[in-house]
Amino acid sequence: MGSDGGYDVMIMGVTSDNELAQSLADSLTQDGLSVWTLNTNNNSKSKGNILVASKVLVNILSEGSTSCQECEDLISLAYVSDTPIFPVARDCFPAINSRLSFSMKLILAKINWMFFTNEADRTENYPILLSSIQHAIEKVNLKSENGDGNEDVTDERVYVIKMSQDEEKIEVSDRPEFWENRLRGLSQVTWPEFRDAFIDEYKEQLKESFPEHRQKWLINIIYGDIFDLHKMITKKMYTDFCCGIENDPDNFYHRILDYALGLLAMRSVFDMESTVRLDAVQNLGQFKTRSVISTLTNLLNDNDPNMRAVAAIALGKTGVKNYKVVQSMIRKLSDEDRLVREAACISLGHMRAEVSVRYIVALWRGDTISHVRQAAEVALGLINSPASQEALRMTRVLSDEMNRLK
């Protein structure tokens, strides 16, 4: 185990995968890495917390593990927390792929699989796996030393494409990127025009990766989450979303795919039935990537009040307080669900968002639920600005005067 209490490698599978898992663990240990498996005697932490503290996840893919909800939840948590994932397949690709859920197919399709279906495969592929894991750990260590991921997230529409573990590079192409190819010379188009051009341009990729109802879901994400339901789509809106990767004519499509994957993974992690939900909430202060912050902010408007409340709590734990996050959280102070209102209060308090004081005061003085009023008072104390202290003082004076009149 590392000095920080985490492992270099977490190996996850089901009981029927134990032989391969232990063989991998023994080999990786001999090569100087600390490894956790199902056989490791460490009952003090949940699997979710062990994953968050570990540097990489090796997930054994087998016909058994594809039906394991815990394995799927851990892969989703790894994706959300930006933990490198190494799928090691014990069975052949068709047998595994046919059993994977839609979200797992999308996530794992972007990552190179390593096949250990027989002894010859193991002998040939283990050195490649070891080298890839060592390289990923070096990058994790470097990121930790440099403090990457802790910056204030001010760009609302920047998403990082998760490349395969061997850092596959996008080949330079002379083909025009999507807007130049389909909408050249136009500074703006209507949403239906943009939508139809996108569907026509990527019909083969969409057909291959998305069932018909999921294609509609993806289009709704583009319209609602990315373009905020604007009837006119400007080139500036498009290029602001696309910034980052050069020489990729399909940059927009790749970024949309990455956003959709992040949304699916986040929903899986925060679902009420998720086996890692509490671990994710407890550790989300560490997850400050732009895609996580943006996805959480959008989840504040989810139809499920539990999802809205969890998103509010998680955003508060990240400590990020850019304009969009704060304004979105303020709007949740008037949510119809009292747990969402409470979570928004406490999160704004932890953010020390002074701009929210007057809204929290209004909630404190007007909400019919005592728990919400108490959360508002706590939030004002946490913000601890002159305005919040004056609001606390004045309201208490008025309360005392009213009590004397009774």
Side-chain angles (χ1 to χ4, degrees), residues 17-241:
D17 301 324
N18 272 355
E19 185 273 330
L20 175 56
Q22 195 57 52
S23 173
L24 282 173
D26 292 343
S27 297
L28 291 170
T29 300
Q30 289 175 8
D31 285 307
L33 301 177
S34 59
V35 183
W36 183 94
T37 71
L38 290 174
N39 296 325
T40 302
N41 185 21
N42 184 351
N43 298 320
S44 61
K45 289 185 177 181
S46 67
K47 294 185 181 70
N49 276 317
I50 290 169
L51 170 64
V52 170
S54 298
K55 294 173 182 175
V56 304
L57 171 67
V58 171
N59 189 78
I60 297 181
L61 294 175
S62 63
E63 293 188 40
S65 68
T66 54
S67 59
C68 173
Q69 186 62 50
E70 186 174 51
C71 291
E72 183 167 327
D73 290 343
L74 285 167
I75 291 175
S76 295
L77 181 58
Y79 192 89
V80 167
S81 61
D82 211 23
T83 300
I85 304 169
F86 292 87
V88 171
R90 221 189 88 199
D91 298 316
C92 63
F93 178 81
I96 296 172
N97 191 57
S98 63
R99 295 169 176 261
L100 291 173
S101 67
F102 171 71
S103 60
M104 287 298 102
K105 282 183 179 179
L106 278 185
I107 290 174
L108 296 175
K110 299 188 71 179
I111 304 170
N112 286 342
W113 295 25
M114 195 73 67
F115 287 88
F116 281 55
T117 57
N118 53 52
E119 271 312 312
D121 282 348
R122 297 188 191 190
T123 301
E124 180 180 354
N125 291 331
Y126 174 76
I128 302 172
L129 176 64
L130 172 64
S131 176
S132 300
I133 289 174
Q134 289 172 331
H135 181 59
I137 291 174
E138 287 174 7
K139 291 184 67 177
V140 170
N141 289 339
L142 184 62
K143 182 185 291 187
S144 178
E145 291 170 6
N146 292 339
D148 291 353
N150 293 322
E151 73 279 3
D152 185 26
V153 182
T154 55
D155 188 336
E156 298 173 8
R157 296 296 185 194
V158 177
Y159 306 97
V160 179
I161 301 296
K162 291 180 183 295
M163 306 305 290
S164 61
Q165 301 297 348
D166 63 352
E167 293 189 317
E168 99 180 58
K169 303 295 183 182
I170 297 174
E171 294 183 2
V172 175
S173 173
D174 294 329
R175 179 163 56 90
E177 57 83 37
F178 170 67
W179 189 286
E180 289 302 313
N181 187 39
R182 302 302 298 256
L183 307 168
R184 179 179 298 178
L186 300 175
S187 60
Q188 63 178 12
V189 295
T190 65
W191 162 246
E193 288 174 323
F194 184 94
R195 177 198 62 204
D196 292 347
F198 175 82
I199 292 173
D200 186 58
E201 179 78 6
Y202 294 106
K203 54 181 177 290
E204 294 303 322
Q205 293 96 318
L206 291 171
K207 182 178 179 181
E208 180 180 348
S209 300
F210 296 87
E212 185 174 350
H213 73 286
R214 289 291 189 177
Q215 291 182 32
K216 294 178 181 178
W217 169 78
L218 186 70
I219 296 301
N220 287 337
I221 285 177
I222 297 173
Y223 187 38
D225 288 12
I226 307 307
F227 293 135
D228 293 324
L229 302 178
H230 283 90
K231 293 181 180 179
M232 297 300 297
I233 311 303
T234 68
K235 188 174 182 181
K236 184 179 186 306
M237 293 163 58
Y238 169 85
T239 54
D240 284 349
F241 179 73

Side-chain angles (χ1 to χ4, degrees), residues 347-382:
S347 290
L348 285 166
H350 281 289
M351 292 175 186
R352 303 192 69 178
E354 294 186 34
V355 69
S356 68
V357 167
R358 65 189 181 96
Y359 302 98
I360 296 175
V361 169
L363 195 66
W364 183 30
R365 298 174 69 167
D367 202 287
T368 58
I369 307 295
S370 62
H371 289 297
V372 177
R373 296 196 301 272
Q374 291 167 9
E377 185 173 1
V378 169
L380 291 171
L382 289 169

Side-chain angles (χ1 to χ4, degrees), residues 325-334 344 348 353 355-356 359:
V325 169
V326 172
Q327 292 301 315
S328 297
M329 198 74 75
I330 287 173
R331 287 193 287 272
K332 292 300 104 182
L333 294 175
S334 58
L348 285 166
V355 69
S356 68
Y359 302 98

